[in-house]
Amino acid sequence: MSDPLDLRGRGLSAVPSEVWQARGLRSLALGRNPLGAIPDAVGSLTSLTALYLDETGIEELPEALGRLQALRILDVAHNRLTALPAGVAHLESLEVLYLGDNRFAALPEPVRALRSLLYLGAAGNRIEALPDWIGELEALVELYLRGNRLAALPEAIAGLRALRSLDLRETAMAALPDWLAELPSLQRLDLRWNGFLDPPPVVARLRARGCVVWL
């Protein structure tokens, strides 16, 4: 089976067993079902390139997820996750990762190994600081951090030379570092609903070189 399998919003409390037998499945959408848990059997779907587990009520993910090494898109947003299994670090092909609206107090350590990541969405969590290793995600193009408790950015972000879009809405930002203007690819910076009394000096520099900044 290579056609996408979309089971979103079916009221499922468990995944039908035949799904785990579809070894050639490329895309599986289970979002908006009250599953509560994802079984280890998900690791048998090694042809998957896209897996959508949003709004399923899960509090953890199985270690078997790490077997899905062809995976390019993983959506686990709108759940109750506080951590990711170590196996996520093996998802070397992953390009898009949705972690928004969970209960992460920090960016999960397994994300550090995802060097193909282009999009990282971690809005609506409880993140107070970004790790220095975020600068190692050199392929990153879009980074969404809206609604976290961030008060500052680590200088390691200066290593994100491919970054085009940075969303810092509704954080605790009161100042921005000057080096932000040195990000060569940055085209969009969203700073709305923060505590800025005046635009940070770096905003003028960014706008002067064509970056769109929302305040």
Side-chain angles (χ1 to χ4, degrees):
M1 182 186 296
S2 58
D3 291 337
L5 181 56
D6 189 344
L7 296 175
R8 286 178 285 197
R10 304 287 184 89
L12 300 174
S13 58
V15 181
S17 58
E18 56 266 29
V19 170
W20 310 128
Q21 308 304 316
R23 301 299 169 85
L25 193 61
R26 301 292 301 277
S27 177
L28 175 60
L30 296 170
R32 303 197 305 275
N33 285 296
L35 297 174
I38 304 299
D40 287 340
V42 71
S44 67
L45 302 180
T46 53
S47 295
L48 277 183
T49 60
L51 178 59
Y52 302 93
L53 301 173
D54 50 300
E55 294 186 65
T56 51
I58 54 176
E59 296 184 5
E60 60 182 6
L61 290 164
E63 189 66 39
L65 201 67
R67 299 183 204 148
L68 307 182
Q69 296 190 18
L71 206 61
R72 295 173 56 191
I73 300 172
L74 176 60
D75 186 351
V76 294
H78 310 291
N79 283 300
R80 303 169 185 169
L81 299 171
T82 58
L84 294 180
V88 166
H90 300 307
L91 303 180
E92 297 178 357
S93 300
L94 201 66
E95 297 177 353
V96 176
L97 178 58
Y98 297 99
L99 300 176
D101 294 308
N102 275 286
R103 298 175 181 177
F104 295 108
L107 278 182
E109 179 70 24
V111 174
R112 182 176 189 172
L114 305 179
R115 302 303 171 85
S116 297
L117 208 59
L118 302 175
Y119 177 105
L120 176 57
N125 280 285
R126 303 169 181 177
I127 300 170
E128 295 185 0
L130 296 176
D132 284 338
W133 54 253
I134 196 168
E136 300 170 17
L137 303 179
E138 296 180 352
L140 206 60
V141 173
E142 298 182 64
L143 179 58
Y144 290 85
L145 298 165
R146 175 180 178 172
N148 283 289
R149 302 170 182 175
L150 299 169
L153 295 176
E155 192 166 353
I157 283 184
L160 301 181
R161 312 292 288 176
L163 192 67
R164 293 204 297 258
S165 183
L166 178 59
D167 187 345
L168 297 171
R169 286 176 289 173
E170 292 184 280
T171 56
M173 293 285 168
L176 284 179
D178 289 339
W179 51 256
L180 209 57
E182 307 303 321
L183 285 174
S185 302
L186 194 62
Q187 298 174 4
R188 298 180 297 275
L189 175 62
D190 202 333
L191 301 170
R192 287 175 289 181
W193 309 308
N194 276 291
F196 300 116
L197 298 177
D198 297 297
V202 69
V203 168
R205 293 177 59 198
L206 285 165
R207 285 175 168 166
R209 67 169 181 77
C211 180
V212 176
V213 182
W214 290 276
L215 282 167

